[in-house]
Amino acid sequence: MPPISSGNDSGSDTDNENVRLKAEATSANAKLNQIILKRMQAAITADPGISLRRESQRIFKEAVDEQKSSMPRVKNPKFANAPTGPEPGYCDRLVARTHNAEIMYALSDETRKVLSSYMEPDSRSKLVEASLVTLLSRMILSCEKLWEGLAGTRGVVLKCNPRLAAKIIQGNDDYTEYTSLQYLEEHAPDIPVPRPHGLVKFGSARIIFMTYFPSTTLESAWPNLTHENKLLIQHQLNDIFLKLRALTSTGAEHILGGVNGEGVQDLRRDGHKTRETISTVAAFEDFQFSIAPHNISSYIKFLRSLLPPASSTVVFTHGDVRTANIIVDIDQFGGYYVTGIIDWETSGFYPEYFESSKILYLFRLYNCKEDWWQYLPPCIAPAKNPERWLIDRIWDEFVYA
């Protein structure tokens, strides 16, 4: 199949888009924060003994839903046939302001076939002259939306066809997820993860084409699972993560972070990562606890003194194991089984304890009645490294206070 060309617009458009998008997101978030604060103040005034955690979750969800429903529909002049709906979305705004695209990782035949389907009928023989921006824009506005980020500012996941999905995420400074999918396809092809089908820089966002899993998340299925089915899922996940953890960094130095040198990520700090080379577990821990001004606290030094000695081994790590990132399906007997693990944005080579210290990091924000914690894969459960899990949560509270 002939190559698909990209637009000829200047790369400076991307910088302008990033500035505009950041300002737009900041303005929307500022308004959202003001609404939440006012409602929290009113709730506390009405009942000083109210449960802040439970009430803040309810108010936050209501405010976000109201914000999304009140946003005006963006009319996109590019395509008269674009589907319409009651809500605007990330896709409309992204397409309306994007004028350049570039293929960063080669597109598979499946991806090219999908893009070709958005050519005008009389121009199928002139694919080489097609604008990549136009084809991607048509695809983005036409495909079924599987997921959209909070308040429609971070990105979306689209179903391109029964075999292919497109994950569109804001920003073009980190391709960790894609390079991890490439690595796993080569080194662990039996682990159920999406296969990479190409990556495109689309204005201020990146589009990752990958395998589509036609099923549901474990998060959605969990309430329907029996105790026996939960044990089966636990056993399947343990087998998967044992295989994953058998992958270790090679070479004279064990470079931590993304498999292609993307650096170590820490979601607690601005920028989320470092480009500095970190090749030892000790240096990694220094980086973790280096967030100013908390890093000079005697209390933090005391907490670190309680940590047990760490092994120098680094293993391949997902970094965000939770039920929303586990895909399951139903067998002929009505039982659920694991079909895939998704969302590899924070993956790479990390200390062997790291997965177990990060799992359940959002547990305190969820419904405490959820019993997922009782069925965690043993090889990555907090019980493997309880001191590290507890101190990591204390460090969370300290940084976010």
Side-chain angles (χ1 to χ4, degrees), residues 146-160:
L146 302 174
W147 170 88
E148 184 167 7
L150 184 64
T153 58
R154 185 170 180 265
V156 297
V157 176
L158 306 174
K159 178 183 177 182
C160 301

Side-chain angles (χ1 to χ4, degrees), residues 81-133:
N81 296 326
T84 60
E87 292 186 16
Y90 174 83
C91 294
D92 299 272
R93 299 192 297 274
L94 178 64
V95 167
R97 60 169 54 93
T98 297
H99 307 286
N100 63 297
E102 180 182 358
I103 298 174
M104 307 304 293
Y105 287 92
L107 304 181
S108 69
D109 290 343
E110 184 70 31
T111 300
R112 289 177 173 273
K113 182 179 178 181
V114 166
L115 292 179
S116 297
S117 69
Y118 292 97
M119 292 287 296
E120 296 295 338
D122 60 350
S123 61
R124 289 185 179 276
S125 61
K126 301 178 182 179
L127 184 60
V128 69
E129 299 175 5
S131 166
L132 183 58
V133 174

Side-chain angles (χ1 to χ4, degrees), residues 110-236:
E110 184 70 31
T111 300
R112 289 177 173 273
K113 182 179 178 181
V114 166
L115 292 179
S116 297
S117 69
Y118 292 97
M119 292 287 296
E120 296 295 338
D122 60 350
S123 61
R124 289 185 179 276
S125 61
K126 301 178 182 179
L127 184 60
V128 69
E129 299 175 5
S131 166
L132 183 58
V133 174
T134 300
L135 298 181
L136 287 168
S137 297
R138 290 175 176 171
M139 180 202 77
I140 291 170
L141 295 175
S142 302
C143 289
E144 175 187 351
K145 190 182 298 181
L146 302 174
W147 170 88
E148 184 167 7
L150 184 64
T153 58
R154 185 170 180 265
V156 297
V157 176
L158 306 174
K159 178 183 177 182
C160 301
N161 67 20
R163 299 170 299 280
L164 191 71
K167 182 175 182 178
I168 307 175
I169 298 294
Q170 193 58 36
N172 263 301
D173 59 346
D174 185 5
Y175 297 151
T176 296
E177 180 164 25
Y178 194 82
T179 58
S180 285
L181 295 182
Q182 288 182 313
Y183 176 85
L184 292 174
E185 182 180 37
E186 178 181 356
H187 297 278
D190 58 333
I191 293 179
V193 302
R195 299 307 179 206
H197 282 269
L199 188 151
V200 178
K201 179 180 180 181
F202 186 72
S204 59
R206 59 188 183 273
I207 305 178
I208 300 176
F209 291 97
M210 62 181 75
T211 308
Y212 167 67
F213 288 114
S215 42
T216 188
T217 66
L218 183 59
E219 180 180 46
S220 299
W222 194 259
N224 303 318
L225 268 59
T226 63
H227 169 67
E228 291 72 19
N229 205 166
K230 292 175 180 179
L231 288 175
L232 175 62
I233 294 290
Q234 179 189 47
H235 179 73
Q236 291 176 322

Side-chain angles (χ1 to χ4, degrees), residues 237-238 241 245 321 355-357 359 376-384:
L237 289 174
N238 198 59
F241 282 99
R245 294 168 62 77
V321 180
E355 196 88 89
S356 63
S357 72
I359 198 168
L376 296 174
C379 69
I380 58 171
K384 292 283 291 186

Side-chain angles (χ1 to χ4, degrees), residues 313-333:
T313 304
V314 295
V315 300
F316 197 85
T317 302
H318 180 278
D320 191 15
V321 180
R322 48 196 173 97
T323 51
N325 291 332
I326 300 168
I327 304 298
V328 296
D329 207 346
I330 304 177
D331 62 25
Q332 58 181 331
F333 304 107

